[in-house]
Amino acid sequence: MEKFIEMVKDSKVCMLITNEKNGENLSGRPMSISKIDDDGGMWFFTKSSSYKVEEIEESKKVSIAIANESSNNYLMINGTGNLVNDKIKMKELWSSILKAWFPLGLDDPDMILIKVTPNEVNYWDSSSSTMVVLFNMLKAIVTGKVYEEGEHGKINL
Amino acid sequence: MEKFIEMVKDSKVCMLITNEKNGENLSGRPMSISKIDDDGGMWFFTKSSSYKVEEIEESKKVSIAIANESSNNYLMINGTGNLVNDKIKMKELWSSILKAWFPLGLDDPDMILIKVTPNEVNYWDSSSSTMVVLFNMLKAIVTGKVYEEGEHGKINL
């Protein structure tokens, strides 16, 4: 879990992937990760009026892809997305960088948080030049099994 | 199209996203892009015995996520994945780096190509610090419409 959190912290930006409302296609966009909690919960600021909010209202199934070539961090996260309209939490997570999206700051009425709770995390080892899956976090801890060549089992958080 | 190809070429690695065979979850792994054709077709080497090959046999619907923080290139591509077992094509695309995965080289019997034909490409402008969608390639060309704040229409290639 620590390794996962550390890798996410290395990457400021991820692709947040939702299901289009037609249920047919995936919809993804770069999103800045505001915070990752100690239990792996990931927080994002967004506009309440955005398509992704509508998509999450329709399907809470979201994924996060991180492919950070410079830090060599690769993660694929499946999880549940929840919309959190909590001004106290927004204040806690606020950073001045967010003014680029929300010039009104915390008073912006068109602001909501997305919290992604991961239920499956796959990550690839950063020190391996051949990009082998060294392990799948919890599964590896439980079974001691090593996966090879980007092929791997599933873990459940 | 040129801009899209250029951005893909900037990124050696992407997350190739397939549908798990249960049809419920997404499965993603970092993959090295061997080549992008002038028409946007993207080529990958993989092992015939890998899960992703089974997944593509079950569902040709694949996505590619590129989130390259260092070059500030962000792309989300939906497309069709096809398995191509063509030794001549493999020879054309072969690079010595691939020996890390295929020590036997082109003689490796457990080798197949995946060709992803994009049908929808979204990309984000690299020069915008606020990560605004400047346009959605073809749609923008056709309609001249500018999309804002990561929210955008769809394009079909």
Side-chain angles (χ1 to χ4, degrees):
Chain A
M1 179 65 92
E2 269 173 35
K3 171 85 178 159
F4 160 49
I5 291 171
E6 188 189 301
M7 287 175 81
V8 171
K9 283 183 177 168
D10 270 357
S11 298
K12 299 275 175 293
V13 182
C14 66
M15 294 297 279
L16 178 70
I17 300 168
T18 48
N19 289 287
E20 280 183 24
K21 287 168 77 184
N22 64 20
E24 280 297 305
N25 291 315
L26 298 178
S27 170
R29 76 287 295 164
M31 293 280 286
S32 175
I33 305 162
S34 283
K35 194 194 171 198
I36 177 162
D37 293 334
D38 291 342
D39 65 359
M42 297 166 75
W43 294 88
F44 302 87
F45 278 82
T46 195
K47 292 188 187 291
S48 332
S49 60
S50 63
Y51 289 151
K52 69 179 92 59
V53 166
E54 287 180 41
E55 287 169 346
I56 291 172
E57 278 169 350
E58 189 110 343
S59 164
K60 289 179 185 299
K61 206 154 73 174
V62 303
S63 298
I64 291 171
I66 293 175
N68 193 334
E69 287 178 50
S70 55
S71 65
N72 214 9
N73 280 346
Y74 299 96
L75 292 111
M76 182 75 191
I77 299 158
N78 289 323
T80 306
N82 283 291
L83 303 168
V84 180
N85 196 353
D86 177 342
K87 283 287 170 197
I88 294 168
K89 193 72 192 170
M90 288 174 192
K91 201 171 168 186
E92 182 198 320
L93 298 176
W94 181 258
S95 137
S96 55
I97 294 171
L98 290 161
K99 280 200 177 161
W101 291 270
F102 302 100
L104 299 177
L106 285 163
D107 293 331
D108 197 317
D110 190 24
M111 178 190 286
I112 199 159
L113 296 169
I114 300 173
K115 183 183 183 186
V116 176
T117 305
N119 52 46
E120 184 188 337
V121 179
N122 292 305
Y123 70 88
W124 284 258
D125 181 67
S126 60
S127 64
S128 165
S129 61
T130 54
M131 216 180 303
V132 160
V133 180
L134 269 203
F135 45 90
N136 230 319
M137 236 185 353
L138 292 192
K139 185 131 184 182
I141 292 162
V142 173
T143 65
K145 210 168 168 187
V146 173
Y147 295 89
E148 289 177 33
E149 223 291 277
E151 301 307 334
H152 44 71
K154 300 295 154 216
I155 55 159
N156 297 300
L157 291 179
Chain B
M1 181 63 91
E2 269 173 37
K3 170 85 178 161
F4 159 50
I5 291 170
E6 189 188 302
M7 288 175 80
V8 171
K9 284 182 176 167
D10 270 357
S11 298
K12 300 271 173 296
V13 182
C14 66
M15 294 296 282
L16 178 69
I17 299 168
T18 47
N19 290 287
E20 280 184 22
K21 286 169 77 184
N22 63 20
E24 280 296 305
N25 292 314
L26 298 178
S27 171
R29 77 287 294 161
M31 292 282 285
S32 176
I33 305 161
S34 283
K35 194 194 172 199
I36 177 161
D37 293 334
D38 291 342
D39 65 359
M42 297 164 75
W43 293 88
F44 303 87
F45 277 83
T46 195
K47 292 187 186 292
S48 332
S49 61
S50 63
Y51 289 151
K52 68 179 95 57
V53 167
E54 287 180 41
E55 288 170 345
I56 291 171
E57 278 169 348
E58 187 111 344
S59 165
K60 289 178 184 299
K61 205 153 73 175
V62 303
S63 298
I64 291 170
I66 293 175
N68 192 334
E69 285 179 50
S70 56
S71 66
N72 215 10
N73 280 346
Y74 298 95
L75 293 111
M76 183 75 192
I77 299 158
N78 289 323
T80 306
N82 284 291
L83 303 169
V84 181
N85 196 354
D86 177 342
K87 283 287 172 199
I88 295 166
K89 192 71 190 170
M90 288 174 194
K91 201 172 168 186
E92 181 197 323
L93 299 176
W94 181 258
S95 136
S96 56
I97 294 172
L98 289 161
K99 281 200 178 160
W101 290 271
F102 302 100
L104 300 177
L106 286 163
D107 294 330
D108 197 317
D110 190 24
M111 180 191 282
I112 200 160
L113 296 169
I114 299 172
K115 183 183 183 184
V116 176
T117 305
N119 51 46
E120 184 187 336
V121 178
N122 292 306
Y123 70 88
W124 283 259
D125 181 67
S126 61
S127 63
S128 164
S129 60
T130 53
M131 214 180 304
V132 160
V133 180
L134 268 203
F135 46 91
N136 229 319
M137 235 183 356
L138 291 192
K139 184 133 185 180
I141 292 163
V142 173
T143 65
K145 209 168 169 186
V146 174
Y147 296 90
E148 290 178 32
E149 223 290 278
E151 302 305 335
H152 44 73
K154 300 294 154 218
I155 55 160
N156 297 300
L157 289 180

